[in-house]
């Protein structure tokens, strides 16, 4: 690929996300990163709709924080389609979608017993992301300005060997996001990718990854969004993973992650 070839190609949209005046839908936002981001966006002035599988949890969060809510199971295509239709009908000003839903499972690849976890992880993290994008993108493309944010992981760039399918799905989300961004050049939709490092959440049932505090992570993410950082939202803690191949540290970090024994 020559510099001349690159120069005559359009560049990706780099529109800023308005954190203070957007209407945002976040899937998988009843806990962890999704809920933390929902609370911060709402506090900044945006209207926030959260999605999740548990109706009782959604109702409790609506009562506590005033979120809009919708029941959604990202492993079910019909559920995604119904949820998208409901959100768009109730919140026609929707201009931002965050595909936060994800699961993380330990797998022993020496045993075929891991396959059920692998399939569920692919269905949730990758297929669910693709289906969410398919369901909401026509609406976003009709908006004068819109943002679609996928959520990958630092483990997309250096895998955690204890969670191989999780790491692989996040690498796939990264690749899919890049292709989507390029396909949408010249449209009204800005495509961002949030790349979290290890963060102290209940993603794996409260297992201690030594991750950064959730509030510190969310503070940094909001600062990056407000500063117009794009197209990848990279907090400082994830930089070593993101650039491991470039920096020649990939194998070293891979072995260090494996030694944690998670």
């Amino acid at each position: 690929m020559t510099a001349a070839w690159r120069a005559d190609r359009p560049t990706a949209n780099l529109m800023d996300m308005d954190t203070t005046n957007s209407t945002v839908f976040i899937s998988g936002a009843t806990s962890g990163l999704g809920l933390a981001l929902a609370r911060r966006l709402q506090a900044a002035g945006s209207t926030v709709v959260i999605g999740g599988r548990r109706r009782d949890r959604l109702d409790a969060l609506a009562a506590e924080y005033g979120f809009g809510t919708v029941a959604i199971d990202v492993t079910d295509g019909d559920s995604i389609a119904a949820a998208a239709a409901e959100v768009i009908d109730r919140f026609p000003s929707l201009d931002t979608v965050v595909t936060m839903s994800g699961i993380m499972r330990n797998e022993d690849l020496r045993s075929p017993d891991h396959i059920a976890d692998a399939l569920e992880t692919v269905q949730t993290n990758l297929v669910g992301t693709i289906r969410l994008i398919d369901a909401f993108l026509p609406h976003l493309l009709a908006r004068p300005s819109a943002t679609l944010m996928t959520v990958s992981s630092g483990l997309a760039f250096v895998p955690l060997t204890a969670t191989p399918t999780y790491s692989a799905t996040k690498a796939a989300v990264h690749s899919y996001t890049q292709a989507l961004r390029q396909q949408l050049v010249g449209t009204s939709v800005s495509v961002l990718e949030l790349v979290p490092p290890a963060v102290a959440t209940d993603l794996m049932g409260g297992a201690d990854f030594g991750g950064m505090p959730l509030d510190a992570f969310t503070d940094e993410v909001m600062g990056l969004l407000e500063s117009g950082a794009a197209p990848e939202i990279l907090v400082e803690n994830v930089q070593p993973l993101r650039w491991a191949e470039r920096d020649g540290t990939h194998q070293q970090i891979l072995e260090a992650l494996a030694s944690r024994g998670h």
Side-chain angles (χ1 to χ4, degrees):
M1 182 185 297
T2 66
W5 189 94
R6 291 194 298 268
D8 65 1
R9 293 302 190 268
T11 56
N13 301 336
L14 294 179
M15 296 176 288
D16 295 346
M17 175 181 170
D18 185 353
T19 60
T20 66
N21 192 36
S22 293
T23 301
V24 185
F25 172 67
I26 308 177
S27 67
T30 57
S31 64
L33 301 186
L35 178 57
L37 183 60
R39 292 180 61 187
R40 294 301 180 86
L41 288 170
Q42 180 167 270
S46 289
T47 298
V48 179
V49 186
I50 62 170
R53 288 182 294 182
R54 290 176 49 194
R55 186 73 259 177
D56 60 336
R57 179 67 174 155
L58 291 169
D59 290 344
L61 291 170
E64 185 173 1
Y65 299 112
F67 297 132
T69 63
V70 65
I72 185 170
D73 179 353
V74 300
T75 67
D76 184 329
D78 291 338
S79 176
I80 291 173
E86 180 180 344
V87 171
I88 292 166
D89 180 63
R90 289 170 50 201
F91 300 89
S93 62
L94 178 77
D95 58 8
T96 303
V97 172
V98 183
T99 63
M100 184 67 73
S101 301
I103 61 173
M104 187 179 195
R105 303 277 174 80
N106 282 326
E107 298 172 73
D108 183 351
L109 302 186
R110 296 164 295 188
S111 168
D113 293 342
H114 82 95
I115 191 63
D117 283 328
L119 292 174
E120 188 173 354
T121 302
V122 170
Q123 191 70 16
T124 302
N125 297 3
L126 178 57
V127 179
T129 294
I130 294 170
R131 282 175 164 164
L132 280 164
I133 293 168
D134 287 349
F136 284 99
L137 188 56
H139 172 82
L140 295 179
L141 286 167
R143 300 292 300 167
S145 177
T147 300
L148 178 58
M149 182 190 297
T150 61
V151 181
S152 62
S153 169
L155 301 180
F157 304 97
V158 183
L160 179 63
T161 53
T163 60
T165 305
Y166 175 87
S167 302
T169 58
K170 292 303 185 176
V173 167
H174 170 68
S175 179
Y176 197 88
T177 303
Q178 289 184 312
L180 175 67
R181 184 182 300 120
Q182 191 61 28
Q183 286 200 17
L184 296 185
V185 165
T187 74
S188 63
V189 179
S190 176
V191 179
L192 304 181
E193 178 185 349
L194 177 60
V195 188
V199 180
T201 70
D202 60 356
L203 182 60
M204 288 195 70
D208 183 9
F209 284 91
M212 69 184 298
L214 180 57
D215 283 346
F217 170 75
T218 315
D219 285 344
E220 197 170 344
V221 168
M222 288 298 292
L224 290 167
L225 291 174
E226 289 161 0
S227 71
E232 295 177 10
I233 309 303
L234 302 168
V235 301
E236 190 64 32
N237 279 23
V238 85
Q239 299 278 352
L241 292 166
R242 176 63 181 93
W243 305 116
E245 288 282 2
R246 180 197 68 186
D247 295 341
T249 56
H250 188 277
Q251 186 63 30
Q252 176 186 349
I253 296 174
L254 179 69
E255 292 173 3
L257 291 174
S259 70
R260 294 181 181 182
H262 292 306

